[in-house]
Amino acid sequence: MKNQYFKFLLVFLGLVFSTNVLAQGVRLSGMVSDQFGPLPGATVLQKGTDNGTVTDFDGNFDFNLLNESSQFIVVSYIGFKSQEIAIVPGKTNYEITLQSDLNQLEDVVVIGYGTEKRANLTGAISSIESEALEGKPVANAYEALQGESSGLIIQNTSSKPGSVPRINIRGVSTINGNTPLIVVDGVISSLNNVNPNNIESISVLKDAASSAIYGSRAANGVILVTTKSGEKGKAKFSYQTMMGVQQPTNFPNFAKSWEYATLRNEALINSGMAPAFTPQEILEFKQNGPDVNWNREIYKDMALQSTHNFSLSGANDGLNYLVSLGYVDQESMFKGPDYGYKKYNARINIDKKVNEKFKIGARLSFARNDIKDHAYFEQFIIEPTMRTPPIYNIIDQDGNYTLVSGSNSNPLAQLMEGGTTNTQNDEALGNFSLEYEPVSGLVIKGVLGGNIVSNKTHQFRKAIEFAYPGGGNNENSVTDNYFRSLYLNPYLTATYVKTFADKHDLNVLVGSSTEKFESEFFGVTGLDIPGNDHGVIDNAGDIQGASGSGDEWSITSYFGRVGYTFDDKYIIKGNIRYDGSSRFSSDKRWGVFPSVSVGWVMSEENFFKPIEDIVSFAKIRASWGQLGNQDISDLYGYQSLVSSGSNVYSFGGVGASGAYYSVSNQNRTWETSTMKNIGLDLSFFKRKLDVTFEVFDNLTNDILLQLPVPATYGLGQPFQNAGSVRNRGWELSMNYGFATGAVNHSFNFNISDSHNKIEDLRGREFINGGDVHTILREGYSINSYYALKSDGYYNSEAEIAEGPAPIFVNDVDPGDIRYLDRNGDGKIDYENDRFILGNEFPRYTYGATYAMDWNGFDFSVFIQGVGKRQQWLRGEIIEAFHNNNEGPVFERHLDRWTPENLDASYPRLTVGSESVNNAARSDFYIFNAQYLRIKNVQLGYTLPADVMENIGMESLRLYLTGLNLLTFSPLNDLGVDPENVGYSGRVYPVNRVFSLGLNINF
């Protein structure tokens, strides 16, 4: 494989530095200008070649034509429409006038159940084009979107094959689900199974004006995905491939074995115990080891990944088609028997114009995900690698897996010998559409869409034979799980678009839709497989148990939209949706969700004419609307269900069978989010610089909560409409394009922030969690950290005597953490002295891309990050000798408190009960998790068009790309990735990827 990469690199470099020399011919000259005068820096090229020049300060150009090449010149300039001009025989001087290009305003943006000119948008919509996704060595489209849109928050918490990032639009507005609605070609689905190479554009709908047409499904925003179609002309065949190498990043820095032994002795002595190591043993560790980083031992140094995509597309005689096949192969970083992820994609997009009135279409796709993984809980494989001291070998000199003190297993043995979990996930998605235009401007469209998901998991956990006594994992098992779901979404729309008297534009949409979902699950586990081989349920000696379930829900909706624009200056739009959900009783089932928005294109007014060279476009817009949310796990809680069991009652101490009712609430109904948005769109310097700024305010009322009930009630906690949350924020995005000579540059930047506050919980508060506590309290953000606040260390017995004493320990000693006495009662306790100390949700999320191209070369760098975030870390990732284990000890623990080191970064080292005070839940373990990541860097070369023509290709581009190259974060020193939203550090690492890519078009 390495030889293949080397050969590929040689071919890449050879093609980049090859030249095609042609004789020079006629000399051309002239001037390029716009309506206001000469344009310096405009590019003038002979079509199909890199031969040409740029205009000077006075807009003049002068260059020689190449013989045997196209007899056309192409003139281009940032912010203007390119012109193609035929070279007239005998004419050598040309006066060329370029027209201002407001193409971004003329672009059509996909919105709910239709499209809209960008200039007429009044809602908060971000559009992401396919170019933003190209060349990124990622396994799913979610990762490719990270940092590409303001307000779109994607947290890539793991690079584990098959993992899916967390996704959110404009922060958190409810205590229930905050995941946005994802619509692929009109069908509600997921991005995970969409081939990024098939995506034409993505629209992110962020406010009520843009997303209210989806009603109850859109309270958390909407992501609309449009896949590619064919282009007019002859059939086009494309092939894209990337081959890359993954490397794990950001491991914790463990102390050396002799340092560990020294600190272990210190901790034992501080805790009133005898030291464990003699000076001679410590010296032996320093000179001869062992010095084993168990955490590093379970991962490979590198793993390969590759992608391949084939497509055939075209459009001719009313037929538009795209056929695509894709393949992803990503090896796991875990050591073991071929762990990894394979994805197979197939897609057919076809539209046929039957006649002037009828058009039919279909979007069909299939994706298979095959994941091969270990057979254990991942966090419990990683956990012992963090806790095991480096004085132990993970494999002994005879090649046996070791068992260290306090453990009955070996994580490397579990990976290599402990069996596998094979998951097969299939998704078929499609829609069939029929369009009928009975009169000009009126289009009636019917769509039948849906998807089928099938998930099958087979786990064979093998018994492990350890050479050492006391080994666990000595029982094998087989588990088979099967899940299947069917989602159907037929809808019908009628759209009428008409322009009256050249100034009045009317757009009307009415429609209805139905959503129906049903699922089923079945699982069974068997133990005692004879011979530790042939792991199928039929070979199990003991069937442990079987389980099964089924769910279904539905939504029926009616919706409408009216838009009116006068003279391309004044815009008003209204949406309304009427939703009925099966999650509510018939009396509370239906909800009405309206929105209204307005826009004013100020730059179309006469008073803007004097500054149109500076401000090319200006529009202010505002929206108000309401959306519903019914995203709770309890599908049938509005009615009491009868359940039966074998030990429902007790008579004389003996269990008896019986039946009982479940808790219910017939009055529960929709959560309602009221959204307000003000936006400003500006363009400067003849469309070179575009700026968009948004401010939003979302208030969600009637949040569905499970409030506490008296224990005597006996039936649990029903969902009630009992909460209110306000979420406010802003967004800024900028795009700037310019040219320096023959080099074109572009820069785009986006940043956004949101902050939520609980306004009403009916006076209640909820404290959740174990090692990490979060709180829901009026006046604070959802799931805020709730902990003691540290106040340095006790440096002397006198300070201990003077300071407040924690009541959850017997005593404290110098070097222990001191805590603030919040209520001033002279003692520290969790009940009265905890503070609210931030939360894990990211703020000030940003992304920036710089790109340039010159003479066939292109280069881009993409930076992404978070300006503010807190991460509470607990357990072995941060504490020395956590939970009375032998380890861990990290390099950070070397700077611990001693009588000679009062200004230490870590308290005195202790073990067992002596550690209770320092391990208390406090802000000592809450860290700054902001970061800046060089997410993607790409260097490419596109061969000249005349070279391609000679070898029978349309285009060929080769490129090098790097993903997750560098990360700057305060958490780096701890070995924790700043996107990790867990607190234990027991996660698969985020990988760095280096790839070679090739794009070919025929």
Side-chain angles (χ1 to χ4, degrees):
M1 178 63 74
K2 290 183 179 179
N3 288 336
Q4 292 178 355
Y5 283 113
F6 182 69
K7 292 177 182 178
F8 187 23
L9 181 59
L10 288 178
V11 172
F12 174 76
L13 294 174
L15 286 171
V16 167
F17 293 106
S18 65
T19 58
N20 184 28
V21 180
L22 295 173
Q24 292 186 336
V26 179
R27 190 167 188 83
L28 292 186
S29 62
M31 186 175 74
V32 179
S33 60
D34 69 352
Q35 59 178 322
F36 301 104
L39 287 175
T43 301
V44 184
L45 292 176
Q46 190 171 1
K47 185 179 178 181
T49 75
D50 295 320
N51 178 49
T53 185
V54 295
T55 57
D56 61 19
F57 185 78
D58 296 319
N60 297 314
F61 66 89
D62 190 347
F63 72 105
N64 287 328
L65 291 177
L66 295 176
N67 290 332
E68 303 176 11
S69 298
S70 171
Q71 297 302 301
F72 293 86
I73 58 173
V74 178
V75 184
S76 60
Y77 189 71
I78 299 293
F80 291 83
K81 297 178 181 178
S82 296
Q83 281 195 34
E84 183 176 304
I85 298 165
I87 300 171
V88 179
K91 183 176 180 180
T92 59
N93 189 272
Y94 293 82
E95 298 290 331
I96 302 163
T97 302
L98 296 184
Q99 300 298 317
S100 178
D101 181 12
L102 299 181
N103 63 319
Q104 282 198 320
L105 302 178
E106 298 300 324
D107 280 348
V108 173
V109 177
V110 176
I111 61 173
Y113 300 104
T115 59
E116 185 88 71
K117 282 202 312 183
R118 188 182 299 275
N120 292 339
L121 292 178
T122 53
I125 300 178
S126 292
S127 183
I128 303 170
E129 302 303 321
S130 60
E131 291 79 10
L133 313 179
E134 292 175 354
K136 293 184 178 179
V138 295
N140 63 58
Y142 287 108
E143 296 177 67
L145 289 178
Q146 190 174 32
E148 294 290 351
S149 168
S150 61
L152 179 61
I153 302 166
I154 296 176
Q155 298 176 80
N156 187 26
T157 60
S158 171
S159 292
K160 183 178 180 181
S163 63
V164 177
R166 289 190 178 187
I167 186 168
N168 179 272
I169 295 176
R170 285 191 166 181
V172 177
S173 296
T174 178
I175 295 168
N176 294 308
N178 283 279
T179 302
L181 178 72
I182 296 174
V183 182
V184 181
D185 287 334
V187 180
I188 295 173
S189 183
S190 163
L191 263 176
N192 190 45
N193 288 326
V194 180
N195 185 342
N197 290 277
N198 292 157
I199 295 176
E200 179 68 30
S201 68
I202 293 177
S203 295
V204 183
L205 315 185
K206 296 179 283 190
D207 69 337
S210 59
S211 56
I213 199 71
Y214 289 103
S216 63
R217 305 286 271 137
N220 301 307
V222 183
I223 296 177
L224 302 180
V225 181
T226 303
T227 58
K228 294 179 179 178
S229 299
E231 298 178 359
K232 288 184 178 181
K234 61 182 181 180
K236 178 180 179 181
F237 174 77
S238 299
Y239 170 63
Q240 299 94 26
T241 184
M242 270 192 293
M243 295 179 288
V245 176
Q246 308 169 74
Q247 296 177 337
T249 64
N250 217 19
F251 288 103
N253 296 316
F254 287 82
K256 302 296 185 184
S257 57
W258 68 271
E259 294 172 323
Y260 160 78
T262 301
L263 268 60
R264 179 67 175 171
N265 279 353
E266 183 179 313
L268 290 169
I269 293 171
N270 286 343
S271 303
M273 303 178 190
F277 303 98
T278 67
Q280 183 60 39
E281 287 174 321
I282 294 174
L283 180 61
E284 180 68 18
F285 286 141
K286 188 172 185 178
Q287 293 177 344
N288 301 311
D291 192 14
V292 181
N293 183 337
W294 279 52
N295 185 242
R296 192 65 184 85
E297 287 294 319
I298 64 173
Y299 299 105
K300 304 173 185 175
D301 292 327
M302 56 172 275
L304 301 179
Q305 72 175 39
S306 62
T307 63
H308 303 274
N309 295 280
F310 303 85
S311 66
L312 178 66
S313 62
N316 203 355
D317 296 329
L319 177 66
N320 188 306
Y321 60 90
L322 168 79
V323 181
S324 173
L325 297 173
Y327 173 68
V328 175
D329 187 353
Q330 184 182 16
E331 294 181 0
S332 173
M333 291 306 309
F334 279 129
K335 293 179 179 178
D338 301 321
Y339 297 141
Y341 169 67
K342 291 180 171 62
K343 179 191 285 187
Y344 308 86
N345 286 95
R347 171 171 290 277
I348 298 176
N349 290 353
I350 187 167
D351 292 292
K352 174 62 177 176
K353 189 174 183 180
V354 179
N355 54 42
E356 294 302 316
K357 299 290 186 181
F358 284 97
K359 181 180 178 181
I360 59 175
R363 298 286 191 272
L364 305 173
S365 69
F366 174 79
R368 164 163 290 181
N369 297 270
D370 288 333
I371 302 175
K372 184 178 182 181
D373 206 356
H374 53 79
Y376 291 84
F377 295 112
E378 186 160 297
Q379 62 173 327
F380 295 139
I381 286 180
I382 298 174
E383 176 193 44
T385 72
M386 305 292 290
R387 296 183 176 186
T388 305
I391 62 174
Y392 299 111
N393 287 305
I394 197 167
I395 299 178
D396 67 17
Q397 60 185 4
D398 297 321
N400 299 312
Y401 298 106
T402 59
L403 294 174
V404 303
S405 174
S407 174
N408 68 349
S409 188
N410 181 301
L412 187 59
Q414 291 175 317
L415 289 172
M416 301 296 293
E417 310 288 345
T420 59
T421 301
N422 291 279
T423 301
Q424 184 182 93
N425 180 285
D426 295 333
E427 181 182 22
L429 180 147
N431 71 40
F432 300 89
S433 63
L434 173 65
E435 290 187 17
Y436 173 53
E437 188 173 4
V439 296
S440 178
L442 175 62
V443 176
I444 300 172
K445 184 175 182 178
V447 177
L448 174 60
N451 63 33
I452 299 174
V453 173
S454 173
N455 181 281
K456 185 168 63 175
T457 302
H458 173 75
Q459 182 185 92
F460 181 23
R461 182 177 294 181
K462 294 185 178 182
I464 301 173
E465 295 184 8
F466 287 100
Y468 294 82
N473 303 130
N474 51 19
E475 184 177 52
N476 56 30
S477 65
V478 172
T479 298
D480 283 315
N481 292 324
Y482 175 75
F483 172 85
R484 175 186 175 276
S485 69
L486 172 64
Y487 170 80
L488 294 175
N489 179 209
Y491 63 87
L492 178 68
T493 63
T495 305
Y496 182 67
V497 179
K498 185 70 173 178
T499 299
F500 303 93
D502 295 328
K503 288 189 175 183
H504 305 273
D505 295 314
L506 180 65
N507 189 317
V508 180
L509 167 75
V510 295
S512 67
S513 74
T514 300
E515 297 178 57
K516 182 175 177 59
F517 175 87
E518 58 184 41
S519 66
E520 58 182 345
F521 168 81
F522 175 78
V524 61
T525 297
L527 307 178
D528 190 19
I529 310 299
N532 205 36
D533 206 356
H534 304 298
V536 293
I537 284 291
D538 194 48
N539 289 338
D542 177 20
I543 300 299
Q544 186 73 9
S547 60
S549 63
D551 287 320
E552 61 179 307
W553 55 261
S554 63
I555 296 175
T556 297
S557 307
Y558 305 94
F559 50 86
R561 176 173 60 218
V562 177
Y564 171 72
T565 302
F566 173 72
D567 200 21
D568 292 327
K569 290 188 288 189
Y570 312 112
I571 309 164
I572 183 168
K573 296 178 183 178
N575 294 272
I576 191 167
R577 181 150 171 151
Y578 185 51
D579 281 331
S581 170
S582 64
R583 284 177 169 87
F584 307 124
S585 66
S586 57
D587 292 338
K588 302 290 184 178
R589 180 156 296 165
W590 293 91
V592 179
F593 306 106
S595 76
V596 63
S597 59
V598 293
W600 176 32
V601 183
M602 297 178 289
S603 54
E604 289 294 318
E605 301 290 354
N606 290 332
F607 61 77
F608 245 79
K609 298 301 180 183
I611 60 171
E612 63 181 1
D613 279 352
I614 300 174
V615 183
S616 312
F617 179 82
K619 178 176 65 177
I620 188 169
R621 47 191 166 78
S623 68
W624 173 95
Q626 292 184 323
L627 298 172
N629 184 36
Q630 41 96 59
D631 190 11
I632 53 175
S633 58
D634 183 7
L635 299 180
Y636 318 111
Y638 63 88
Q639 55 187 341
S640 293
L641 305 178
V642 177
S643 300
S644 61
S646 57
N647 290 290
V648 177
Y649 304 103
S650 176
F651 296 99
V654 179
S657 299
Y660 56 93
Y661 285 101
S662 66
V663 65
S664 65
N665 176 15
Q666 292 185 358
N667 294 317
R668 73 182 196 183
T669 188
W670 298 93
E671 295 181 1
T672 301
S673 294
T674 301
M675 300 183 178
K676 304 171 187 176
N677 191 91
I678 297 176
L680 179 65
D681 302 322
L682 298 171
S683 292
F684 300 91
F685 316 122
K686 301 178 182 178
R687 297 291 302 165
K688 291 186 180 68
L689 173 64
D690 294 328
V691 178
T692 296
F693 182 71
E694 311 266 0
V695 179
F696 62 88
D697 182 335
N698 299 346
L699 177 63
T700 303
N701 290 314
D702 296 328
I703 292 177
L704 290 159
L705 298 173
Q706 290 177 288
L707 296 181
V709 296
T712 53
Y713 183 59
L715 292 179
Q717 301 167 341
F719 276 94
Q720 305 176 50
N721 296 98
S724 176
V725 172
R726 184 179 295 276
N727 182 42
R728 288 172 168 163
W730 54 267
E731 301 169 1
L732 173 68
S733 61
M734 297 186 296
N735 295 280
Y736 181 51
F738 62 99
T740 55
V743 182
N744 295 314
H745 308 264
S746 67
F747 174 77
N748 65 66
F749 172 77
N750 69 79
I751 185 171
S752 60
D753 180 42
S754 64
H755 180 66
N756 68 78
K757 183 176 72 172
I758 299 172
E759 298 210 336
D760 180 30
L761 282 178
R762 293 191 180 177
R764 307 292 184 92
E765 67 179 34
F766 303 85
I767 300 173
N768 304 305
D771 286 346
V772 169
H773 279 178
T774 61
I775 188 171
L776 300 176
R777 176 183 285 177
E778 294 173 0
Y780 293 91
S781 295
I782 294 172
N783 292 329
S784 293
Y785 292 140
Y786 195 43
L788 300 175
K789 184 176 287 188
S790 59
D791 186 27
Y793 306 121
Y794 294 109
N795 287 321
S796 66
E797 294 291 349
E799 289 185 9
I800 294 173
E802 294 174 359
I807 65 172
F808 47 80
V809 296
N810 293 328
D811 61 73
V812 292
D813 290 292
D816 285 343
I817 299 173
R818 180 174 53 203
Y819 302 104
L820 288 178
D821 183 10
R822 185 171 180 270
N823 67 345
D825 63 357
K827 59 185 179 181
I828 303 296
D829 64 273
Y830 283 118
E831 186 68 25
N832 299 299
D833 292 316
R834 283 180 290 185
F835 292 79
I836 293 181
L837 300 166
N839 59 77
E840 71 174 16
F841 196 81
R843 297 187 61 185
Y844 309 113
T845 58
Y846 59 87
T849 301
Y850 167 74
M852 59 82 67
D853 64 83
W854 169 79
N855 203 29
F857 289 92
D858 62 86
F859 171 78
S860 65
V861 57
F862 171 48
I863 296 172
Q864 177 265 333
V866 168
K868 182 180 179 180
R869 180 172 173 263
Q870 289 81 39
Q871 179 62 63
W872 190 338
L873 299 175
R874 288 305 306 265
E876 63 277 349
I877 188 62
I878 200 68
E879 300 171 41
F881 312 112
H882 168 69
N883 204 21
N884 206 23
N885 288 282
E886 285 192 74
V889 172
F890 300 119
E891 287 183 0
R892 71 182 301 262
H893 297 136
L894 297 175
D895 184 28
R896 74 282 187 197
W897 187 97
T898 65
E900 297 77 30
N901 186 25
L902 303 182
D903 192 27
S905 62
Y906 197 80
R908 72 184 180 109
L909 297 177
T910 54
V911 297
S913 60
E914 284 291 316
S915 300
V916 172
N917 178 77
N918 294 337
R921 291 181 286 269
S922 77
D923 69 339
F924 187 82
Y925 300 104
I926 299 177
F927 295 86
N928 178 1
Q930 68 182 42
Y931 70 92
L932 181 151
R933 176 168 280 159
I934 301 179
K935 191 70 178 179
N936 196 65
V937 175
Q938 192 171 144
L939 172 65
Y941 180 70
T942 301
L943 272 69
D946 52 343
V947 175
M948 292 294 93
E949 187 176 353
N950 291 337
I951 61 177
M953 293 184 184
E954 180 178 308
S955 66
L956 186 151
R957 178 176 180 263
L958 300 105
Y959 59 94
L960 304 171
T961 186
L963 184 73
N964 296 330
L965 294 184
L966 290 171
T967 301
F968 303 93
S969 172
L971 291 184
N972 283 357
D973 292 339
L974 304 180
V976 175
D977 191 272
E979 288 190 77
N980 173 25
V981 292
Y983 63 84
S984 67
R986 304 171 191 169
V987 294
Y988 186 98
V990 170
N991 291 338
R992 180 182 297 115
V993 183
F994 298 95
S995 295
L996 295 172
L998 171 68
N999 294 346
I1000 302 175
N1001 293 306
F1002 294 93

